[in-house]
Amino acid sequence: LGDDPLTSGVSTSQALETIPSVEVDLDGNVSLRGNGNVVILVDGRPAPVGRDFVGVYLQSLPADAVERVEVIPNPSAAYEPDGSGGILNIVLKDDTELGVGGAVTLGGDSQGGYDATGLLTFGRGPLRLSGTAGLRQNERASDGDRFRINRFLDPETTLDQASVDTRTRTSGLLNLSADYAATDRTTLVASTQLGLRGGSSTETNSTLALLGSDVLA
């Protein structure tokens, strides 16, 4: 893969787009035959990042370091494939030393929401370390109006009500992992993950009630 002129100088994420049956969206998420529940392996070992950061990791990994990509659409029970849409095993070149790598992505929307992710990896010999962090905030605003007339009263009453609702949701994720290939068949893995969620909601109501031509509230 890394020797293909079409993938020279690009990321592994971009190179995967050239493989039939593999799709990569704008966020770097990989799907196989339309199924996004894909297991990503690197040299037969789990990718050194949490699932939420696999896309960022593949975008930071140069395709020139990849020897080939093995597509396993129907993995055997040895891979514990329950619920998986398949496996992509990214085989690095023999002389590849990943060293220190990283990536930062930022995003936002027109309603004031934003997201940021950061990735730092280190690989040397059988040891691989990674740290990932992400922060996301979504803001959503909605409004409504209600107008009601009660003609069964004399004089009739009128209710005019307007509301504005603003909701904010914030979430953060930190993941640290390490793995060590003790032998060709044995890999020691340790990982820890911390997630935080919070939010707030503010609603403003304006009410005008009229009795005939008199203001009640």
Tab-separated table of all heavy atoms in Angstrom, residues 91-153:
chain	number	residue	atom	x	y	z
A	91	VAL	N	-0.978	-3.674	8.330
A	91	VAL	CA	0.343	-4.272	8.534
A	91	VAL	C	1.409	-3.241	8.167
A	91	VAL	O	1.474	-2.780	7.019
A	91	VAL	CB	0.521	-5.545	7.693
A	91	VAL	CG1	1.889	-6.161	7.947
A	91	VAL	CG2	-0.590	-6.548	8.014
A	92	LEU	N	2.232	-2.862	9.155
A	92	LEU	CA	3.271	-1.870	8.928
A	92	LEU	C	4.506	-2.524	8.316
A	92	LEU	O	4.728	-3.727	8.449
A	92	LEU	CB	3.643	-1.185	10.243
A	92	LEU	CG	2.502	-0.492	10.993
A	92	LEU	CD1	3.020	0.123	12.285
A	92	LEU	CD2	1.844	0.566	10.127
A	93	LYS	N	5.318	-1.740	7.658
A	93	LYS	CA	6.569	-2.239	7.105
A	93	LYS	C	7.496	-2.677	8.234
A	93	LYS	O	7.446	-2.136	9.347
A	93	LYS	CB	7.223	-1.150	6.269
A	93	LYS	CG	6.425	-0.779	5.021
A	93	LYS	CD	7.101	0.313	4.221
A	93	LYS	CE	6.312	0.637	2.963
A	93	LYS	NZ	6.918	1.740	2.173
A	94	ASP	N	8.363	-3.646	7.943
A	94	ASP	CA	9.207	-4.242	8.981
A	94	ASP	C	10.097	-3.229	9.677
A	94	ASP	O	10.358	-3.337	10.871
A	94	ASP	CB	10.074	-5.346	8.365
A	94	ASP	CG	9.242	-6.555	7.951
A	94	ASP	OD1	8.132	-6.716	8.497
A	94	ASP	OD2	9.710	-7.310	7.079
A	95	ASP	N	10.573	-2.236	8.961
A	95	ASP	CA	11.515	-1.290	9.550
A	95	ASP	C	10.829	-0.048	10.106
A	95	ASP	O	11.479	0.960	10.399
A	95	ASP	CB	12.566	-0.862	8.519
A	95	ASP	CG	11.928	-0.249	7.267
A	95	ASP	OD1	10.690	-0.357	7.141
A	95	ASP	OD2	12.660	0.336	6.440
A	96	THR	N	9.518	-0.114	10.273
A	96	THR	CA	8.781	1.070	10.726
A	96	THR	C	8.916	1.270	12.231
A	96	THR	O	8.653	0.359	13.021
A	96	THR	CB	7.289	0.955	10.372
A	96	THR	OG1	7.153	0.883	8.959
A	96	THR	CG2	6.519	2.157	10.893
A	97	GLU	N	9.370	2.448	12.608
A	97	GLU	CA	9.344	2.871	14.010
A	97	GLU	C	8.379	4.045	14.087
A	97	GLU	O	8.631	5.114	13.525
A	97	GLU	CB	10.744	3.299	14.484
A	97	GLU	CG	11.681	2.140	14.768
A	97	GLU	CD	11.332	1.379	16.037
A	97	GLU	OE1	10.387	1.808	16.744
A	97	GLU	OE2	11.971	0.364	16.321
A	98	LEU	N	7.268	3.846	14.778
A	98	LEU	CA	6.237	4.877	14.799
A	98	LEU	C	6.711	6.155	15.474
A	98	LEU	O	6.295	7.250	15.113
A	98	LEU	CB	4.983	4.342	15.497
A	98	LEU	CG	4.272	3.187	14.779
A	98	LEU	CD1	3.085	2.721	15.605
A	98	LEU	CD2	3.808	3.622	13.398
A	99	GLY	N	7.607	6.019	16.471
A	99	GLY	CA	8.098	7.206	17.156
A	99	GLY	C	6.955	7.986	17.791
A	99	GLY	O	5.976	7.420	18.272
A	100	VAL	N	7.101	9.300	17.789
A	100	VAL	CA	6.077	10.170	18.376
A	100	VAL	C	5.182	10.709	17.270
A	100	VAL	O	5.659	11.185	16.234
A	100	VAL	CB	6.719	11.342	19.143
A	100	VAL	CG1	5.639	12.267	19.699
A	100	VAL	CG2	7.599	10.825	20.266
A	101	GLY	N	3.899	10.606	17.464
A	101	GLY	CA	2.929	11.135	16.500
A	101	GLY	C	1.770	11.780	17.214
A	101	GLY	O	1.586	11.603	18.430
A	102	GLY	N	0.999	12.520	16.487
A	102	GLY	CA	-0.138	13.170	17.114
A	102	GLY	C	-0.983	13.905	16.101
A	102	GLY	O	-0.606	14.066	14.935
A	103	ALA	N	-2.128	14.342	16.558
A	103	ALA	CA	-3.042	15.084	15.698
A	103	ALA	C	-4.006	15.875	16.572
A	103	ALA	O	-4.306	15.490	17.710
A	103	ALA	CB	-3.818	14.146	14.780
A	104	VAL	N	-4.469	16.989	16.037
A	104	VAL	CA	-5.468	17.820	16.708
A	104	VAL	C	-6.533	18.178	15.688
A	104	VAL	O	-6.217	18.561	14.554
A	104	VAL	CB	-4.846	19.111	17.282
A	104	VAL	CG1	-5.934	20.010	17.867
A	104	VAL	CG2	-3.818	18.789	18.350
A	105	THR	N	-7.789	18.024	16.059
A	105	THR	CA	-8.891	18.409	15.182
A	105	THR	C	-9.826	19.347	15.935
A	105	THR	O	-10.066	19.171	17.133
A	105	THR	CB	-9.683	17.188	14.687
A	105	THR	OG1	-10.256	16.496	15.812
A	105	THR	CG2	-8.786	16.239	13.924
A	106	LEU	N	-10.356	20.324	15.216
A	106	LEU	CA	-11.262	21.304	15.787
A	106	LEU	C	-12.480	21.425	14.889
A	106	LEU	O	-12.377	21.305	13.663
A	106	LEU	CB	-10.585	22.673	15.930
A	106	LEU	CG	-9.314	22.743	16.782
A	106	LEU	CD1	-8.673	24.122	16.648
A	106	LEU	CD2	-9.624	22.450	18.242
A	107	GLY	N	-13.629	21.688	15.492
A	107	GLY	CA	-14.851	21.860	14.714
A	107	GLY	C	-15.839	22.757	15.441
A	107	GLY	O	-15.720	23.014	16.641
A	108	GLY	N	-16.803	23.245	14.695
A	108	GLY	CA	-17.827	24.107	15.281
A	108	GLY	C	-19.054	24.124	14.403
A	108	GLY	O	-19.054	23.625	13.273
A	109	ASP	N	-20.133	24.699	14.932
A	109	ASP	CA	-21.359	24.832	14.156
A	109	ASP	C	-21.927	26.226	14.329
A	109	ASP	O	-21.441	27.026	15.143
A	109	ASP	CB	-22.386	23.757	14.540
A	109	ASP	CG	-22.784	23.799	16.008
A	109	ASP	OD1	-23.031	24.906	16.523
A	109	ASP	OD2	-22.852	22.735	16.647
A	110	SER	N	-22.951	26.512	13.552
A	110	SER	CA	-23.526	27.857	13.516
A	110	SER	C	-24.309	28.216	14.767
A	110	SER	O	-24.659	29.379	14.963
A	110	SER	CB	-24.423	28.003	12.285
A	110	SER	OG	-25.475	27.044	12.316
A	111	GLN	N	-24.613	27.254	15.625
A	111	GLN	CA	-25.399	27.527	16.830
A	111	GLN	C	-24.530	27.703	18.067
A	111	GLN	O	-25.035	27.766	19.187
A	111	GLN	CB	-26.408	26.401	17.065
A	111	GLN	CG	-27.431	26.274	15.946
A	111	GLN	CD	-28.598	25.369	16.322
A	111	GLN	OE1	-28.963	25.268	17.489
A	111	GLN	NE2	-29.184	24.716	15.343
A	112	GLY	N	-23.215	27.740	17.914
A	112	GLY	CA	-22.339	27.962	19.060
A	112	GLY	C	-21.713	26.701	19.614
A	112	GLY	O	-20.937	26.768	20.569
A	113	GLY	N	-22.003	25.543	19.043
A	113	GLY	CA	-21.390	24.302	19.499
A	113	GLY	C	-19.984	24.154	18.946
A	113	GLY	O	-19.630	24.743	17.926
A	114	TYR	N	-19.178	23.365	19.624
A	114	TYR	CA	-17.818	23.142	19.159
A	114	TYR	C	-17.331	21.788	19.646
A	114	TYR	O	-17.890	21.194	20.574
A	114	TYR	CB	-16.868	24.239	19.667
A	114	TYR	CG	-16.758	24.326	21.170
A	114	TYR	CD1	-15.873	23.521	21.884
A	114	TYR	CD2	-17.556	25.214	21.895
A	114	TYR	CE1	-15.783	23.586	23.261
A	114	TYR	CE2	-17.472	25.291	23.275
A	114	TYR	CZ	-16.587	24.482	23.953
A	114	TYR	OH	-16.500	24.553	25.334
A	115	ASP	N	-16.262	21.286	19.020
A	115	ASP	CA	-15.637	20.045	19.470
A	115	ASP	C	-14.152	20.112	19.163
A	115	ASP	O	-13.720	20.780	18.212
A	115	ASP	CB	-16.273	18.822	18.809
A	115	ASP	CG	-16.088	18.812	17.302
A	115	ASP	OD1	-15.056	18.315	16.836
A	115	ASP	OD2	-16.986	19.313	16.589
A	116	ALA	N	-13.371	19.432	19.979
A	116	ALA	CA	-11.919	19.391	19.816
A	116	ALA	C	-11.420	18.027	20.270
A	116	ALA	O	-11.901	17.483	21.274
A	116	ALA	CB	-11.247	20.493	20.623
A	117	THR	N	-10.502	17.466	19.530
A	117	THR	CA	-9.890	16.188	19.900
A	117	THR	C	-8.374	16.295	19.744
A	117	THR	O	-7.875	17.013	18.872
A	117	THR	CB	-10.399	15.030	19.018
A	117	THR	OG1	-10.096	15.305	17.642
A	117	THR	CG2	-11.892	14.841	19.168
A	118	GLY	N	-7.682	15.604	20.606
A	118	GLY	CA	-6.230	15.578	20.547
A	118	GLY	C	-5.724	14.152	20.710
A	118	GLY	O	-6.307	13.350	21.446
A	119	LEU	N	-4.669	13.821	20.002
A	119	LEU	CA	-4.115	12.473	20.014
A	119	LEU	C	-2.599	12.556	20.088
A	119	LEU	O	-1.974	13.333	19.370
A	119	LEU	CB	-4.526	11.720	18.741
A	119	LEU	CG	-3.774	10.427	18.410
A	119	LEU	CD1	-4.115	9.357	19.425
A	119	LEU	CD2	-4.110	9.957	17.005
A	120	LEU	N	-2.004	11.760	20.989
A	120	LEU	CA	-0.549	11.675	21.102
A	120	LEU	C	-0.175	10.203	21.208
A	120	LEU	O	-0.697	9.479	22.067
A	120	LEU	CB	-0.054	12.434	22.332
A	120	LEU	CG	1.476	12.468	22.536
A	120	LEU	CD1	2.138	13.219	21.387
A	120	LEU	CD2	1.817	13.130	23.872
A	121	THR	N	0.692	9.744	20.330
A	121	THR	CA	1.093	8.334	20.318
A	121	THR	C	2.615	8.215	20.330
A	121	THR	O	3.334	9.122	19.898
A	121	THR	CB	0.553	7.614	19.070
A	121	THR	OG1	1.084	8.224	17.890
A	121	THR	CG2	-0.967	7.667	19.023
A	122	PHE	N	3.061	7.067	20.818
A	122	PHE	CA	4.492	6.771	20.813
A	122	PHE	C	4.663	5.279	20.579
A	122	PHE	O	3.982	4.455	21.204
A	122	PHE	CB	5.136	7.149	22.150
A	122	PHE	CG	6.577	6.716	22.263
A	122	PHE	CD1	7.587	7.445	21.661
A	122	PHE	CD2	6.913	5.554	22.948
A	122	PHE	CE1	8.920	7.039	21.754
A	122	PHE	CE2	8.236	5.139	23.047
A	122	PHE	CZ	9.239	5.893	22.444
A	123	GLY	N	5.537	4.926	19.664
A	123	GLY	CA	5.781	3.520	19.392
A	123	GLY	C	7.243	3.265	19.131
A	123	GLY	O	7.881	3.973	18.341
A	124	ARG	N	7.793	2.285	19.817
A	124	ARG	CA	9.182	1.886	19.596
A	124	ARG	C	9.310	0.412	19.919
A	124	ARG	O	9.007	-0.013	21.039
A	124	ARG	CB	10.137	2.710	20.435
A	124	ARG	CG	11.611	2.286	20.290
A	124	ARG	CD	12.555	3.321	20.868
A	124	ARG	NE	12.467	4.584	20.123
A	124	ARG	CZ	13.089	5.703	20.510
A	124	ARG	NH1	13.809	5.720	21.612
A	124	ARG	NH2	12.973	6.791	19.779
A	125	GLY	N	9.723	-0.346	18.939
A	125	GLY	CA	9.842	-1.775	19.155
A	125	GLY	C	8.498	-2.379	19.530
A	125	GLY	O	7.475	-2.090	18.914
A	126	PRO	N	8.457	-3.219	20.549
A	126	PRO	CA	7.207	-3.885	20.933
A	126	PRO	C	6.283	-3.013	21.788
A	126	PRO	O	5.174	-3.417	22.113
A	126	PRO	CB	7.694	-5.085	21.742
A	126	PRO	CG	8.971	-4.616	22.360
A	126	PRO	CD	9.615	-3.723	21.327
A	127	LEU	N	6.731	-1.807	22.162
A	127	LEU	CA	5.960	-0.958	23.071
A	127	LEU	C	5.225	0.127	22.299
A	127	LEU	O	5.798	0.800	21.436
A	127	LEU	CB	6.883	-0.310	24.101
A	127	LEU	CG	6.216	0.677	25.080
A	127	LEU	CD1	5.221	-0.057	25.981
A	127	LEU	CD2	7.271	1.405	25.900
A	128	ARG	N	3.945	0.318	22.663
A	128	ARG	CA	3.147	1.391	22.089
A	128	ARG	C	2.345	2.064	23.194
A	128	ARG	O	1.700	1.391	24.005
A	128	ARG	CB	2.201	0.868	21.008
A	128	ARG	CG	2.933	0.375	19.766
A	128	ARG	CD	1.987	-0.198	18.748
A	128	ARG	NE	2.722	-0.772	17.624
A	128	ARG	CZ	2.173	-1.482	16.664
A	128	ARG	NH1	0.874	-1.725	16.694
A	128	ARG	NH2	2.909	-1.968	15.689
A	129	LEU	N	2.404	3.391	23.212
A	129	LEU	CA	1.674	4.195	24.188
A	129	LEU	C	0.792	5.181	23.439
A	129	LEU	O	1.151	5.654	22.352
A	129	LEU	CB	2.640	4.958	25.102
A	129	LEU	CG	3.718	4.157	25.831
A	129	LEU	CD1	4.682	5.099	26.547
A	129	LEU	CD2	3.082	3.190	26.826
A	130	SER	N	-0.335	5.514	24.033
A	130	SER	CA	-1.200	6.508	23.401
A	130	SER	C	-2.023	7.235	24.457
A	130	SER	O	-2.361	6.680	25.511
A	130	SER	CB	-2.136	5.866	22.370
A	130	SER	OG	-3.144	5.102	23.016
A	131	GLY	N	-2.315	8.480	24.157
A	131	GLY	CA	-3.198	9.273	24.992
A	131	GLY	C	-4.131	10.061	24.091
A	131	GLY	O	-3.696	10.666	23.101
A	132	THR	N	-5.406	10.044	24.393
A	132	THR	CA	-6.387	10.765	23.583
A	132	THR	C	-7.300	11.556	24.496
A	132	THR	O	-7.605	11.137	25.619
A	132	THR	CB	-7.233	9.803	22.729
A	132	THR	OG1	-7.803	8.779	23.574
A	132	THR	CG2	-6.404	9.134	21.658
A	133	ALA	N	-7.740	12.701	24.021
A	133	ALA	CA	-8.645	13.545	24.788
A	133	ALA	C	-9.615	14.213	23.829
A	133	ALA	O	-9.245	14.576	22.701
A	133	ALA	CB	-7.869	14.591	25.581
A	134	GLY	N	-10.830	14.365	24.268
A	134	GLY	CA	-11.838	15.004	23.430
A	134	GLY	C	-12.792	15.843	24.257
A	134	GLY	O	-13.077	15.520	25.418
A	135	LEU	N	-13.249	16.925	23.691
A	135	LEU	CA	-14.206	17.821	24.348
A	135	LEU	C	-15.249	18.239	23.327
A	135	LEU	O	-14.909	18.619	22.203
A	135	LEU	CB	-13.500	19.053	24.904
A	135	LEU	CG	-14.388	20.101	25.592
A	135	LEU	CD1	-15.020	19.507	26.849
A	135	LEU	CD2	-13.579	21.349	25.928
A	136	ARG	N	-16.501	18.139	23.713
A	136	ARG	CA	-17.593	18.501	22.811
A	136	ARG	C	-18.657	19.291	23.567
A	136	ARG	O	-19.028	18.919	24.690
A	136	ARG	CB	-18.220	17.245	22.200
A	136	ARG	CG	-19.362	17.533	21.229
A	136	ARG	CD	-20.007	16.231	20.775
A	136	ARG	NE	-19.065	15.392	20.079
A	136	ARG	CZ	-18.834	15.473	18.772
A	136	ARG	NH1	-19.472	16.353	18.039
A	136	ARG	NH2	-17.958	14.659	18.201
A	137	GLN	N	-19.133	20.361	22.951
A	137	GLN	CA	-20.238	21.124	23.524
A	137	GLN	C	-21.261	21.408	22.435
A	137	GLN	O	-20.924	21.917	21.371
A	137	GLN	CB	-19.767	22.438	24.130
A	137	GLN	CG	-20.924	23.291	24.676
A	137	GLN	CD	-20.472	24.461	25.500
A	137	GLN	OE1	-19.833	24.286	26.528
A	137	GLN	NE2	-20.777	25.663	25.047
A	138	ASN	N	-22.505	21.063	22.723
A	138	ASN	CA	-23.602	21.311	21.798
A	138	ASN	C	-24.556	22.324	22.407
A	138	ASN	O	-24.902	22.230	23.591
A	138	ASN	CB	-24.369	20.019	21.495
A	138	ASN	CG	-23.528	19.030	20.716
A	138	ASN	OD1	-22.740	19.421	19.871
A	138	ASN	ND2	-23.695	17.756	20.998
A	139	GLU	N	-24.963	23.275	21.610
A	139	GLU	CA	-25.951	24.251	22.049
A	139	GLU	C	-27.127	24.218	21.081
A	139	GLU	O	-26.938	24.265	19.869
A	139	GLU	CB	-25.343	25.661	22.098
A	139	GLU	CG	-24.301	25.834	23.186
A	139	GLU	CD	-23.910	27.287	23.386
A	139	GLU	OE1	-24.577	28.156	22.786
A	139	GLU	OE2	-22.961	27.555	24.139
A	140	ARG	N	-28.310	24.124	21.646
A	140	ARG	CA	-29.519	24.096	20.838
A	140	ARG	C	-30.538	25.069	21.419
A	140	ARG	O	-30.782	25.085	22.624
A	140	ARG	CB	-30.115	22.685	20.795
A	140	ARG	CG	-29.225	21.665	20.081
A	140	ARG	CD	-29.162	21.953	18.596
A	140	ARG	NE	-28.338	20.976	17.893
A	140	ARG	CZ	-27.052	21.130	17.641
A	140	ARG	NH1	-26.437	22.234	18.051
A	140	ARG	NH2	-26.376	20.207	16.991
A	141	ALA	N	-31.122	25.866	20.561
A	141	ALA	CA	-32.127	26.833	20.982
A	141	ALA	C	-33.428	26.566	20.236
A	141	ALA	O	-33.421	26.213	19.051
A	141	ALA	CB	-31.644	28.256	20.719
A	142	SER	N	-34.530	26.713	20.944
A	142	SER	CA	-35.845	26.560	20.334
A	142	SER	C	-36.785	27.607	20.915
A	142	SER	O	-36.572	28.108	22.020
A	142	SER	CB	-36.399	25.147	20.583
A	142	SER	OG	-36.531	24.903	21.969
A	143	ASP	N	-37.796	27.944	20.165
A	143	ASP	CA	-38.768	28.926	20.649
A	143	ASP	C	-40.157	28.513	20.214
A	143	ASP	O	-40.340	27.709	19.287
A	143	ASP	CB	-38.430	30.331	20.123
A	143	ASP	CG	-38.373	30.390	18.604
A	143	ASP	OD1	-39.442	30.360	17.971
A	143	ASP	OD2	-37.251	30.450	18.053
A	144	GLY	N	-41.131	29.060	20.894
A	144	GLY	CA	-42.521	28.749	20.579
A	144	GLY	C	-43.462	29.859	21.005
A	144	GLY	O	-43.121	30.701	21.855
A	145	ASP	N	-44.633	29.882	20.411
A	145	ASP	CA	-45.660	30.881	20.724
A	145	ASP	C	-47.002	30.185	20.898
A	145	ASP	O	-47.293	29.195	20.200
A	145	ASP	CB	-45.769	31.921	19.602
A	145	ASP	CG	-44.520	32.776	19.464
A	145	ASP	OD1	-44.321	33.676	20.302
A	145	ASP	OD2	-43.739	32.527	18.520
A	146	ARG	N	-47.767	30.710	21.833
A	146	ARG	CA	-49.109	30.161	22.049
A	146	ARG	C	-50.082	31.325	22.245
A	146	ARG	O	-49.823	32.227	23.055
A	146	ARG	CB	-49.128	29.245	23.266
A	146	ARG	CG	-50.490	28.597	23.506
A	146	ARG	CD	-50.420	27.522	24.556
A	146	ARG	NE	-50.014	28.049	25.849
A	146	ARG	CZ	-49.893	27.317	26.955
A	146	ARG	NH1	-50.112	26.004	26.886
A	146	ARG	NH2	-49.520	27.866	28.085
A	147	PHE	N	-51.176	31.282	21.512
A	147	PHE	CA	-52.196	32.331	21.602
A	147	PHE	C	-53.545	31.664	21.825
A	147	PHE	O	-53.930	30.765	21.075
A	147	PHE	CB	-52.215	33.168	20.319
A	147	PHE	CG	-53.198	34.299	20.359
A	147	PHE	CD1	-52.927	35.451	21.082
A	147	PHE	CD2	-54.401	34.206	19.682
A	147	PHE	CE1	-53.835	36.497	21.119
A	147	PHE	CE2	-55.318	35.246	19.723
A	147	PHE	CZ	-55.032	36.395	20.436
A	148	ARG	N	-54.260	32.113	22.866
A	148	ARG	CA	-55.528	31.447	23.220
A	148	ARG	C	-56.569	32.501	23.589
A	148	ARG	O	-56.276	33.462	24.311
A	148	ARG	CB	-55.308	30.492	24.383
A	148	ARG	CG	-56.545	29.659	24.748
A	148	ARG	CD	-56.212	28.666	25.832
A	148	ARG	NE	-55.850	29.334	27.072
A	148	ARG	CZ	-55.250	28.731	28.105
A	148	ARG	NH1	-54.911	27.448	28.005
A	148	ARG	NH2	-54.969	29.402	29.200
A	149	ILE	N	-57.813	32.279	23.113
A	149	ILE	CA	-58.949	33.143	23.445
A	149	ILE	C	-60.049	32.277	24.055
A	149	ILE	O	-60.411	31.242	23.507
A	149	ILE	CB	-59.503	33.863	22.197
A	149	ILE	CG1	-58.434	34.774	21.584
A	149	ILE	CG2	-60.728	34.690	22.564
A	149	ILE	CD1	-58.885	35.449	20.309
A	150	ASN	N	-60.543	32.689	25.209
A	150	ASN	CA	-61.649	31.990	25.864
A	150	ASN	C	-62.916	32.806	25.634
A	150	ASN	O	-63.159	33.825	26.288
A	150	ASN	CB	-61.371	31.834	27.351
A	150	ASN	CG	-62.371	30.895	28.009
A	150	ASN	OD1	-63.453	30.622	27.474
A	150	ASN	ND2	-62.016	30.410	29.196
A	151	ARG	N	-63.736	32.349	24.701
A	151	ARG	CA	-64.954	33.076	24.343
A	151	ARG	C	-66.143	32.674	25.202
A	151	ARG	O	-67.254	33.210	25.018
A	151	ARG	CB	-65.278	32.841	22.861
A	151	ARG	CG	-64.159	33.297	21.919
A	151	ARG	CD	-64.567	33.158	20.464
A	151	ARG	NE	-63.492	33.502	19.568
A	151	ARG	CZ	-63.169	34.746	19.198
A	151	ARG	NH1	-63.869	35.766	19.691
A	151	ARG	NH2	-62.170	34.961	18.364
A	152	PHE	N	-65.941	31.730	26.142
A	152	PHE	CA	-67.041	31.316	27.012
A	152	PHE	C	-67.190	32.240	28.215
A	152	PHE	O	-68.134	32.114	28.992
A	152	PHE	CB	-66.822	29.878	27.484
A	152	PHE	CG	-66.923	28.878	26.378
A	152	PHE	CD1	-65.786	28.396	25.737
A	152	PHE	CD2	-68.168	28.420	25.939
A	152	PHE	CE1	-65.870	27.479	24.718
A	152	PHE	CE2	-68.255	27.491	24.924
A	152	PHE	CZ	-67.112	27.023	24.295
A	153	LEU	N	-66.231	33.125	28.427
A	153	LEU	CA	-66.311	34.096	29.512
A	153	LEU	C	-66.777	35.436	28.968
A	153	LEU	O	-66.606	35.754	27.796
A	153	LEU	CB	-64.944	34.245	30.184
A	153	LEU	CG	-64.380	33.001	30.889
A	153	LEU	CD1	-63.017	33.320	31.482
A	153	LEU	CD2	-65.334	32.501	31.971
